[in-house]
Amino acid sequence: MTVVRKKRGVPEGLWLRCPSCQSTLFRKVVDQRLGVCPECEHHFNVSAKERIRQVLDEGTFEEWDANVIPADPLKFADRKSYADRLVAEQKRTGLSDAAITGGGMIRARRVALGVTDSAFIMGSMGSVVGERLARLIERATRQQLPLIIISGSGGGARMHEGILSLMQMAKVSAALARYDRAGGLYVSVLTNPTMGGVAASFAALGDVVFAEPRALIGFAGPRTIQATIRIELPEGFQTSEFLLEHGYVDRIVPRDKLKSEIARTIDYCGK
Amino acid sequence: MEAPTPGLAFEQPIYEIEVRLHELVRQTDAGPETQHEIRRLRRELAEVTRQVYEQLDPWQIVQVARHKDRPYTADYLSLVFEEFVELHGDRHFGDDRAVLAGFAKLDELQVMVIGHQKGRTYKERTACYFGCAHPEGYRKAMAKMRLAAKFHLPVITFIDTPGAYPGIGAEERGQAWVIAESMYEMSRLRTPILCVVIGEGGSGGALGIGVGDRIAMLQNAYYSVISPEGCAGILWKGHQHAEKAAHALRFTSRHLQQFGIVDQVIPEPLGGAHRDHHQMAARVKMYLNKTLRELLQTPLDQLLEARYEKFRQMGVFLESESPA
């Protein structure tokens, strides 16, 4: 059964409210529609585990590199220590870090799949996300597998690991450049939200780039831009549709079509 | 001797001696006693400057890295290189003044230089958005790097930016995409690349021209995943906590060397690069000459393999024996 991650302020239970159209929805109906509002097609955020269930053939997922786990190299502390934050996030989400990677089948086509989960410290990329993705890409290169990465990250590069997080952008991009040279097919799927250092590295580098409808995607956060230029941001700024119009996204793909669209792309590219 | 001007807040003890020294030097009828006092003050000035600069904290280092008199890319272009032939434009949209690019001669060695430019006067600063590049800046950098690789010129980049520009046009023209593509292309560019962080290494905007075979950093530069103000705004809920964020982020040259991100820290002249552009430039030049010659002697395939491994090794994580 599909589990839609609860949003702040939404009561748990049988009903939930769509943040987009404000309709009160029967949770089971939303779950059956893969976490999409039946009234307005709003795409709720879904967890990485749920995303994997939606995209891969049932029972085919094999997780890789789960034994790579986060450290606290900076001994970072803001109002809370990073070490405590990690433990709290792990408990809350059931994940060890913000990305899950592994192998599986999409309509009987074998793929390498990575998913970032925006619930774990904003889906931000620290050393573990960078390392798991780099290993995923290298494995896809060796095994000549199509590569699918589904991004959900409002946080970009993770501040708590400082410069080490920033360098993951270069590390993962370099691995993708090698994968590209080896002739691999990379489908990047952008979901709400994909920002900062994640948008400016692996998310942008797909041979084919899909985006879910009305996702927030961009480099600088809207608040940062607003604070810099001090004018009203245009309607629909930094949405999937905005990026499609400006030429950065190949297709906007509703969630229920994602699996078949990926399979079709793999077939066209002969992989 | 020019009249001293007050510098950064923590430089006050230096400034006070400079003022006293200046008054004595101005005296035209200086007797032997005054001469003696001048010599004494000069020694004291050097000693106090050394003391102040020896123990800069991370927040003070940010101030030095952003100093209005700090040498910029354009200064190094004139002080380090015999010649600079500027090449404009990204072939797509425009010519971003926040990125300088062109052929240059390092003694007799021909190279391509690419660097962020902040501008000295107000007019220059606004023209280049205080060193914040738009997508056309990164596209220009990429185009000139491809040109360099085609004709076997090594690439030198000077990194000095608060960050890539956050604006409507920048997003419309694919800021995230161009930074990603820059790293992607630089990781496999078939010519040696040498990167030097000369002032501010502001996040993705810095890394967009920061993938290379060697990464050097000036002693009082900083290189960070996010500005201390930005980090404070998010994690401490207020920009006024930037100093705390500066300490937490561990972004000084000393830290980056410890983390294995930076290969070499280039020491700054006494009291920071802004006090002596010529000496700073001489040290940068010495480093570039030595390192470029090393890189040029390495076979290209070996260089590219080592470049990949260099970034591949970055990151700190734990790995349990058996898969969890």
Side-chain angles (χ1 to χ4, degrees):
Chain A
M1 187 186 123
T2 306
V3 179
V4 175
R5 172 161 285 117
K6 64 174 190 265
K7 303 283 279 187
R8 221 172 288 163
V10 175
E12 271 186 89
L14 287 172
W15 301 91
L16 78 167
R17 183 180 289 276
C18 172
S20 180
C21 69
Q22 311 300 325
S23 307
T24 303
L25 306 168
F26 195 31
R27 181 179 292 275
K28 214 170 135 186
V29 174
V30 177
D31 289 348
Q32 279 162 357
R33 304 192 74 232
L34 309 178
V36 176
C37 172
E39 302 296 326
C40 73
E41 301 297 314
H42 170 76
H43 284 52
F44 286 85
N45 288 358
V46 293
S47 71
K49 285 175 185 165
E50 175 51 32
R51 179 72 73 172
I52 290 166
R53 276 193 289 273
Q54 290 182 5
V55 168
L56 293 186
D57 299 343
E58 203 181 334
T60 62
F61 183 64
E62 172 204 349
E63 187 173 357
W64 297 335
D65 304 307
N67 59 323
V68 173
I69 52 176
D72 178 16
L74 272 56
K75 304 275 168 273
F76 190 94
D78 47 271
R79 298 179 303 171
K80 185 177 184 177
S81 80
Y82 180 46
D84 288 347
R85 195 182 288 272
L86 280 172
V87 172
E89 293 286 288
Q90 285 165 345
K91 265 200 191 135
R92 194 173 59 79
T93 62
L95 301 167
S96 58
D97 208 309
I100 302 181
T101 57
M105 307 281 249
I106 292 182
R107 303 242 156 113
R109 297 154 187 86
R110 195 165 156 68
V111 300
L113 173 71
V115 183
T116 66
D117 191 318
S118 61
F120 193 98
I121 316 187
M122 304 285 284
S124 56
M125 173 160 61
S127 299
V128 170
V129 172
E131 184 67 19
R132 284 186 185 162
L133 289 177
R135 291 185 188 191
L136 175 79
I137 298 160
E138 287 175 343
R139 188 158 351 191
T141 311
R142 283 194 305 273
Q143 300 183 4
Q144 302 187 317
L145 295 175
L147 171 70
I148 321 296
I149 300 179
I150 304 174
S151 305
S153 169
R158 188 176 298 167
M159 293 175 281
H160 316 70
E161 292 182 29
I163 193 74
L164 296 163
S165 298
L166 188 72
M167 292 301 154
Q168 303 310 307
M169 293 166 62
K171 172 163 121 181
V172 176
S173 300
L176 284 170
R178 287 200 159 183
Y179 177 73
D180 170 61
R181 181 135 299 172
L185 165 67
Y186 170 31
V187 179
S188 174
V189 182
L190 314 180
T191 74
N192 186 50
T194 299
M195 301 297 291
V198 167
S201 61
F202 60 87
L205 292 169
D207 295 297
V208 176
V209 180
F210 291 156
E212 285 200 331
R214 283 182 276 167
L216 181 73
I217 301 160
F219 179 67
R223 267 176 303 177
T224 307
I225 296 173
Q226 188 111 52
T228 307
I229 60 175
R230 295 177 193 288
I231 57 169
E232 223 22 57
L233 299 176
E235 178 76 22
F237 180 60
Q238 295 184 314
T239 56
S240 308
E241 293 73 17
F242 169 91
L243 286 160
L244 183 86
E245 192 185 319
H246 286 92
Y248 292 95
V249 163
D250 288 288
R251 287 174 73 75
I252 292 177
V253 179
R255 195 169 286 162
D256 61 339
K257 301 282 190 307
L258 184 59
K259 187 172 181 171
S260 58
E261 287 263 358
I262 292 171
R264 181 160 67 176
T265 303
I266 292 171
D267 292 345
Y268 266 102
C269 297
K271 294 290 164 182
Chain B
M1 184 179 174
E2 266 180 63
T5 49
L8 304 166
F10 66 85
E11 292 181 310
Q12 189 61 21
I14 300 172
Y15 174 63
E16 280 167 14
I17 300 170
E18 281 174 341
V19 169
R20 273 153 63 202
L21 190 60
H22 182 66
E23 274 165 17
L24 288 182
V25 169
R26 273 173 61 203
Q27 291 178 14
T28 44
D29 54 346
E33 246 174 63
T34 313
Q35 294 294 350
H36 183 260
E37 179 61 8
I38 288 174
R39 281 195 295 277
R40 196 191 63 77
L41 273 180
R42 286 215 163 106
R43 281 196 301 275
E44 194 185 328
L45 179 64
E47 180 55 25
V48 169
T49 308
R50 195 182 58 74
Q51 280 172 6
V52 167
Y53 268 80
E54 224 170 39
Q55 43 195 344
L56 293 184
D57 68 34
W59 182 237
Q60 290 168 334
I61 285 175
V62 171
Q63 314 302 310
V64 176
R66 293 174 178 169
H67 199 288
K68 63 180 174 44
D69 298 327
R70 194 170 172 86
Y72 297 144
T73 294
D75 300 303
Y76 291 107
L77 283 168
S78 62
L79 293 172
V80 170
F81 300 91
E82 304 299 311
E83 181 178 63
F84 175 57
V85 184
E86 188 171 2
L87 299 171
H88 295 269
D90 73 337
R91 303 291 195 276
H92 285 274
F93 181 80
D95 184 43
D96 190 340
R97 302 309 300 149
V99 174
L100 285 177
F103 298 126
K105 273 195 184 131
L106 181 67
D107 291 330
E108 75 289 358
L109 199 62
Q110 297 182 328
V111 298
M112 177 69 76
V113 178
I114 290 156
H116 298 110
Q117 177 58 18
K118 286 182 164 178
R120 193 69 66 191
T121 64
Y122 182 74
K123 201 177 159 194
E124 285 168 3
R125 282 174 189 269
T126 46
C128 61
Y129 297 92
F130 301 85
C132 298
H134 280 72
E136 43 277 20
Y138 295 100
R139 290 209 172 91
K140 168 158 84 173
M142 258 190 289
K144 307 318 169 198
M145 282 190 244
R146 277 194 293 270
L147 174 68
K150 182 172 175 184
F151 298 103
H152 312 291
L153 300 174
V155 173
I156 295 169
T157 72
F158 290 120
I159 295 166
D160 191 13
T161 179
Y165 191 76
I168 294 175
E171 297 292 321
E172 285 174 336
R173 299 193 291 279
Q175 191 72 287
W177 270 259
V178 296
I179 289 173
E181 281 160 17
S182 284
M183 296 183 296
Y184 190 76
E185 291 306 331
M186 287 181 91
S187 76
R188 62 184 184 185
L189 194 78
R190 294 189 64 80
T191 194
I193 306 174
L194 182 45
C195 309
V196 187
V197 187
I198 57 173
E200 291 190 86
S203 193
L207 188 56
I209 58 166
V211 177
D213 302 298
R214 295 283 188 283
I215 303 168
M217 190 166 168
L218 304 199
Q219 186 183 353
N220 297 317
Y222 80 96
Y223 194 178
S224 182
V225 65
I226 186 169
S227 71
E229 290 85 354
C231 180
I234 298 168
L235 294 179
W236 280 267
K237 309 292 173 202
H239 297 282
Q240 69 275 20
H241 299 291
E243 187 170 348
K244 285 182 208 159
H247 283 266
L249 283 164
R250 307 252 192 278
F251 54 37
T252 67
S253 58
R254 189 171 56 82
H255 290 120
L256 265 69
Q257 200 168 29
Q258 284 166 5
F259 288 133
I261 306 297
V262 159
D263 300 293
Q264 175 94 38
V265 175
I266 305 175
E268 296 192 13
L270 186 64
H274 56 284
R275 279 175 213 279
D276 193 340
H277 287 199
H278 285 271
Q279 203 187 342
M280 190 69 252
R283 290 180 187 186
V284 167
K285 183 170 183 173
M286 200 157 72
Y287 171 77
L288 294 177
N289 258 320
K290 179 177 159 288
T291 313
L292 263 191
R293 267 155 239 277
E294 264 170 43
L295 295 177
L296 285 167
Q297 276 165 16
T298 314
L300 206 48
D301 286 328
Q302 199 179 315
L303 205 62
L304 287 167
E305 185 62 34
R307 189 186 302 164
Y308 183 81
E309 276 306 312
K310 175 184 181 62
F311 284 87
R312 184 66 188 84
Q313 295 309 319
M314 290 180 186
V316 174
F317 49 85
L318 303 169
E319 197 165 6
S320 53
E321 292 280 317
S322 56

